[in-house]
């Protein structure tokens, strides 16, 4: 199969999940947030996540683990003949044109293992993506194609913070993403974290009754917002509301 076919497979998988949310007897019935989906994968799957992003502009985020991409387009790439067939393979900005926030994990010496993908690895994807798209490239020092194959340590930490920031608008996660990982030989990032006030749930730079009402609604609906989590226990509950009231009164 191809990168494009795997990208189509990711989109099909999302549709299957959507259907499970409404299928009688499904263990996922009514539990899925139908407005929030992200994609990711390793190697070809990591590259295919960008194919999927170009198919579905509603995605929240992309996580590419040691991605490879392969675009054959003679409108942008020079042609080379192989066994009588002309192939036009390259990576240029026009071929990775999507606006889905993306984090790429790559190995510093990965190209030594995959010379045929020279110019089409995670570092290259980052450089060819438009600057207006949120993006990060985390290159593992001394690592090859297996750097992020089994996410753990800083790889899993940064991937999780990426989702927290892009999906949940978690400002603490955003700040964490600006810290250069200790295992990185290169770390490229273009995101900027907005300054926030803990408890300012509606983002108006004021702490008042409106924020209390929003915090109460979060508790009643069993939802989470990092700005309302004033005791940093990863839960928004009555204790956070009490803290917010005390801050406003004082």
């Amino acid at each position: 199969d191809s990168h494009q076919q795997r990208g189509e497979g990711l989109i099909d998988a999302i549709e299957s999940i959507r259907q499970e949310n409404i299928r009688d007897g499904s263990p996922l019935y009514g539990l899925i947030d139908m407005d929030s989906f992200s994609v990711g994968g390793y190697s070809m799957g990591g590259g295919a996540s960008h194919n999927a992003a170009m198919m579905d502009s509603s995605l929240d985020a992309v996580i590419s683990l040691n991605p490879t991409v392969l675009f054959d387009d003679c409108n942008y790439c020079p042609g080379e003949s192989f066994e009588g067939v002309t192939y036009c393979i390259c990576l240029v900005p026009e071929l990775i044109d999507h606006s889905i926030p993306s984090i790429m994990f790559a190995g510093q010496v990965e190209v030594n293992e995959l010379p045929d993908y020279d110019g089409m690895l995670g570092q290259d994807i980052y450089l060819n993506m438009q600057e207006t798209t949120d993006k990060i490239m985390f290159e593992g020092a001394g690592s090859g194609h297996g750097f992020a194959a089994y996410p753990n340590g800083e790889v899993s930490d940064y991937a999780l913070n990426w989702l927290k920031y892009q999906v949940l608008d978690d400002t603490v996660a955003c700040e964490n993403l600006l810290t250069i990982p200790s295992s990185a030989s290169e770390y490229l990032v273009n995101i900027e974290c907005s300054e926030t006030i803990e408890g300012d749930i509606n983002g108006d730079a004021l702490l008042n009754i409106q924020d209390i009402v929003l915090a109460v609604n979060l508790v009643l609906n069993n939802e989470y917002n990092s700005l309302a989590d004033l005791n940093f226990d990863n839960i928004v509950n009555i204790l956070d509301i009490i803290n917010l009231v005390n801050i406003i009164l004082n």
Side-chain angles (χ1 to χ4, degrees):
D1 58 350
S2 66
H3 289 75
Q4 177 68 15
Q5 288 172 322
R6 293 194 181 198
E8 293 169 354
L10 288 169
I11 299 301
D12 288 344
I14 290 174
E15 181 57 30
S16 296
I17 294 172
R18 290 183 188 275
Q19 293 303 315
E20 284 299 295
N21 189 62
I22 59 176
R23 181 177 66 83
D24 289 341
S26 168
L28 301 178
Y29 183 83
L31 298 177
I32 304 300
D33 182 350
M34 299 287 275
D35 298 318
S36 181
F37 288 94
S38 300
V39 294
Y42 167 72
S43 192
M44 279 185 70
S49 63
H50 293 279
N51 291 82
M54 288 186 281
M55 299 177 210
D56 187 349
S57 61
S58 71
L59 294 173
D60 287 332
V62 166
I63 298 177
S64 288
L65 309 170
N66 290 100
T68 65
V69 293
L70 190 63
F71 298 106
D72 186 355
D73 192 323
C74 292
N75 291 319
Y76 298 105
C77 310
E80 292 188 12
S81 180
F82 179 75
E83 295 184 352
V85 179
T86 299
Y87 296 94
C88 306
I89 297 173
C90 70
L91 175 58
V92 294
E94 290 83 359
L95 298 177
I96 195 80
D97 187 18
H98 69 79
S99 58
I100 309 302
S102 303
I103 185 169
M104 279 71 66
F105 296 88
Q108 183 180 16
V109 295
E110 188 168 1
V111 69
N112 296 340
E113 299 174 34
L114 301 173
D116 290 341
Y117 282 98
D118 187 11
M120 294 176 286
L121 297 172
Q123 298 92 329
D124 311 295
I125 296 172
Y126 179 92
L127 294 175
N128 280 278
M129 286 183 66
Q130 53 188 310
E131 282 301 317
T132 53
T133 299
D134 285 358
K135 57 181 181 176
I136 289 177
M137 196 284 294
F138 180 166
E139 180 185 87
S143 298
H145 190 54
F147 170 57
Y150 303 97
N152 62 79
E154 288 188 322
V155 172
S156 58
D157 289 343
Y158 278 72
L160 182 57
N161 276 319
W162 187 247
L163 289 177
K164 285 182 176 180
Y165 171 49
Q166 298 296 343
V167 178
L168 302 178
D169 198 24
D170 188 326
T171 55
V172 175
C174 184
E175 294 291 345
N176 290 338
L177 290 166
L178 296 181
T179 303
I180 299 175
S182 62
S183 59
S185 50
E186 186 173 24
Y187 188 69
L188 304 177
V189 55
N190 74 344
I191 62 173
E192 295 182 359
C193 305
S194 59
E195 293 186 10
T196 58
I197 301 173
E198 296 297 334
D200 181 20
I201 303 171
N202 61 359
D204 64 356
L206 298 171
L207 295 181
N208 53 31
I209 188 63
Q210 295 179 18
D211 298 298
I212 295 175
V213 171
L214 291 173
V216 170
N217 286 334
L218 288 171
V219 174
L220 293 177
N221 295 317
N222 195 29
E223 296 176 348
Y224 181 79
N225 184 315
S226 62
L227 292 176
D229 182 16
L230 297 180
N231 59 359
F232 307 107
D233 62 355
N234 295 317
I235 300 173
V236 177
N237 54 28
I238 188 63
L239 295 178
D240 298 298
I241 296 174
I242 292 173
N243 285 336
L244 180 56
V245 170
N246 288 333
I247 292 172
I248 293 172
L249 292 178
N250 296 323

